[in-house]
């Protein structure tokens, strides 16, 4: 069944490649129409896009991208085009490669790099694209483009920063979509801080009853950690045997008083209401926190700008020469892409958790200069893995477990070549408690390569992300 599904997906990719060729042919007709009436270039283009978008029930933006991707395939990416036709790449892979290639194409047109650079880009990207997911391909393609055209990336980031904005679009039923176009480093930091705050809210909610009970026990036992309070005298304690009632548990109370056996009465607060339990989902808590933070906080010069206020976690790789101001090579926002060197230097100046990395000739991290052996291994593995090491998963390392590939309980050593980051969802797939018919197994090969074997016997290889460099 799996193989039949894979073959069907390959045929779908080949058919999508044929559809892209039809768009290429349409572009040729479009160019002829423009040559005949150059003053109507924009109208001719819009009409063509609208014709195909309405026929396929696609949005105008989606159709624009489809034409752009087809044009890139036909003019700049012959090997990607060939792989698309054989079904080795999906349309999602092609889309990410084509969009990243625009950076290289711009540099070639501006004579910043030689025309042969596009061939280097294509070769470097296909190595990953034919073996990884579209999401992994996007990160790798952007990284390759950044390494190849360096200064162009910096200029593009500087221009793109002018496009930052916030828009609101109604989606009916009392809801709206709030869209913020921000520098990538800021968006990643905001998303991570929201996740941290959401996790705190949910943990506090789930631990509420247990925490309250624990506080009461601590107070009764005289624990130093309990909040000190005065103990009531014996006659002040309202216990079950001192309350006269014949009302079944749970029945609504109309009388706003409680009577004790001594005849004393205790008034209930008529305004008091029992707070409803918090049943919000993770996404709902995130949305509420974002609303509260924006509506209740005021921008202040005392608090500083966004860089000073970053409390989300960012993992950035930057050359020492760039930090020292000797060059302006782009840094890398790990898991996302290039980062403007000025932003990297500003972040470095406000953070003390930087580690120098030593790379082998292939761009693989092999050592750090951290002093403590334990922390050295953790830093090395965070830098090596960057995300969950299950094939195709992009969960960042700070949300992953550091797992012994060969189970420590069975004699597996605590060494770099026996450790890898796995998110909770994929960590449990190899856990001994999983029944054999559903359990995955994994072996770690030299260079941090993980070889996964599925319950059906399929082997999937996951390579540690490489730092891209061109000499």
């Amino acid at each position: 069944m799996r193989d039949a599904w894979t073959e069907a997906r390959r045929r779908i990719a080949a058919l999508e490649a044929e559809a892209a060729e039809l768009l290429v042919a349409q572009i040729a007709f479009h160019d002829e129409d423009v040559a005949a009436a150059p003053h109507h270039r924009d109208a001719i283009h819009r009409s063509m896009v609208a014709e195909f978008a309405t026929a396929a029930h696609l949005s105008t933006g989606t159709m624009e991208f489809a034409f752009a991707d087809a044009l890139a395939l036909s003019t700049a990416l012959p090997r990607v085009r060939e792989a698309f036709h054989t079904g080795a790449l999906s349309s999602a892979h092609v889309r990410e490669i084509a969009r990243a290639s625009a950076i290289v194409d711009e540099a070639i047109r501006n004579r910043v790099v030689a025309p042969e650079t596009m061939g280097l880009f294509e070769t470097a990207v296909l190595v990953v694209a034919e073996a990884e997911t579209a999401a992994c391909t996007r990160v790798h393609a952007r990284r390759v483009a950044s390494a190849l055209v360096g200064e162009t990336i910096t200029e593009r980031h500087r221009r793109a920063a002018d496009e930052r904005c916030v828009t609101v679009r109604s989606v009916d039923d009392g809801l709206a979509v709030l869209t913020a176009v921000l520098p990538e480093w800021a968006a990643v930091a905001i998303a991570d801080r929201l996740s941290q705050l959401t996790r705190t809210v949910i943990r506090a909610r789930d631990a509420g009853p247990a925490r309250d009970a624990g506080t009461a026990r601590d107070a009764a036992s005289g624990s130093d950690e309990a909040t000190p309070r005065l103990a009531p005298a014996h006659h002040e304690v309202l216990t079950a045997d001192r309350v006269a009632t014949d009302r079944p548990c749970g029945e609504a109370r109309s009388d706003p008083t409680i009577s004790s056996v001594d005849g004393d009465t205790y008034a209930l607060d008529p305004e008091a209401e029992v707070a409803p339990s918090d049943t919000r989902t993770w996404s709902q808590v995130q949305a509420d926190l974002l609303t509260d933070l924006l509506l209740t906080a005021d921008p202040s010069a005392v608090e500083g700008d966004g860089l000073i206020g970053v409390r989300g976690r960012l993992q950035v790789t930057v050359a020492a020469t760039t930090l020292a101001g000797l060059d302006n090579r782009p840094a890398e926002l790990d898991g996302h892409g290039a980062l403007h060197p000025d932003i990297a230097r500003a972040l470095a100046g406000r953070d003390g958790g930087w580690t120098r990395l030593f790379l082998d000739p292939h761009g693989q991290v092999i050592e750090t200069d951290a002093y403590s052996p334990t922390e050295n291994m953790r830093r090395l593995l965070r830098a090596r893995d960057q995300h969950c090491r299950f094939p195709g998963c992009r969960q960042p390392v700070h949300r992953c477990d550091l797992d012994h590939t060969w189970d420590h309980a069975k004699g597996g050593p605590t060494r770099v070549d026996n450790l890898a980051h796995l998110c909770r969802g994929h960590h449990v797939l190899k856990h001994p408690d999983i029944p054999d018919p559903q359990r995955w197994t994994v072996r770690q090969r030299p260079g941090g390569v993980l070889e996964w074997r599925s319950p059906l016997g399929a082997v999937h290889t996951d390579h540690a992300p490489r730092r891209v460099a061109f000499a």
Side-chain angles (χ1 to χ4, degrees), residues 338-397:
L339 181 68
H340 195 288
D342 289 344
I343 299 296
R345 283 189 282 262
L347 287 170
R350 294 172 171 84
D351 187 90
W354 289 85
T355 300
R356 185 169 50 161
L357 305 179
F358 297 88
L359 283 65
D360 66 13
H362 303 289
Q364 178 67 56
V365 177
I366 58 173
E367 184 184 351
T368 72
D369 63 355
Y371 176 78
S372 172
T374 302
E375 182 61 22
N376 180 19
M377 287 192 292
R378 287 198 296 265
R379 285 179 178 267
L380 174 61
L381 289 164
R382 284 197 297 267
R384 183 195 75 180
D385 293 346
Q386 300 184 33
H387 52 72
C388 171
R389 293 297 308 284
F390 188 84
C393 184
R394 304 294 301 176
Q395 193 74 256
V397 289

Side-chain angles (χ1 to χ4, degrees), residues 106-171:
E106 179 186 7
I108 292 173
R109 284 187 283 105
N110 293 335
R111 299 183 179 181
V112 176
V113 297
E116 295 79 14
T117 305
M118 186 63 79
L120 292 174
F121 169 81
E122 202 175 12
T123 300
V125 170
L126 278 174
V127 171
V128 170
E130 292 180 342
E132 299 285 356
T133 64
C136 292
T137 300
R138 178 181 66 249
V139 175
H140 181 69
R142 294 171 65 181
R143 187 181 296 157
V144 171
S146 172
L148 286 171
V149 302
E151 191 63 28
T152 301
I153 289 284
T154 304
E155 294 300 323
R156 285 173 62 91
H157 281 202
R158 185 177 294 114
R159 292 197 305 271
D162 295 337
E163 300 175 8
R164 60 192 185 277
C165 63
V166 177
T167 59
V168 178
R169 176 173 58 86
S170 174
V171 293

Side-chain angles (χ1 to χ4, degrees), residues 188 192 313 315 334-336 382 385-388 393-401 421-423:
V188 172
D192 188 79
R313 288 165 291 191
Q315 186 166 327
D334 289 351
H336 296 275
R382 284 197 297 267
D385 293 346
Q386 300 184 33
H387 52 72
C388 171
C393 184
R394 304 294 301 176
Q395 193 74 256
V397 289
H398 62 261
R399 297 176 188 164
C400 295
D401 300 324
H421 287 88
L422 299 178
C423 68

Side-chain angles (χ1 to χ4, degrees), residues 211-273:
R211 184 184 65 250
D212 294 342
T215 301
R217 287 193 299 271
D218 291 340
S221 63
S223 170
D224 291 338
E225 296 181 358
T227 301
R229 61 186 181 87
L230 296 177
H234 176 71
H235 68 275
E236 295 176 330
V237 177
L238 185 64
T239 58
D241 61 349
R242 294 177 62 83
V243 177
T245 178
D246 57 1
R247 182 176 292 102
C249 180
E251 181 179 328
R253 177 184 295 274
S254 58
D255 182 8
T257 62
I258 300 176
S259 300
S260 74
V261 293
D262 297 331
D264 297 326
T265 60
Y266 299 83
L268 299 178
D269 183 355
E271 302 297 330
E273 295 182 0

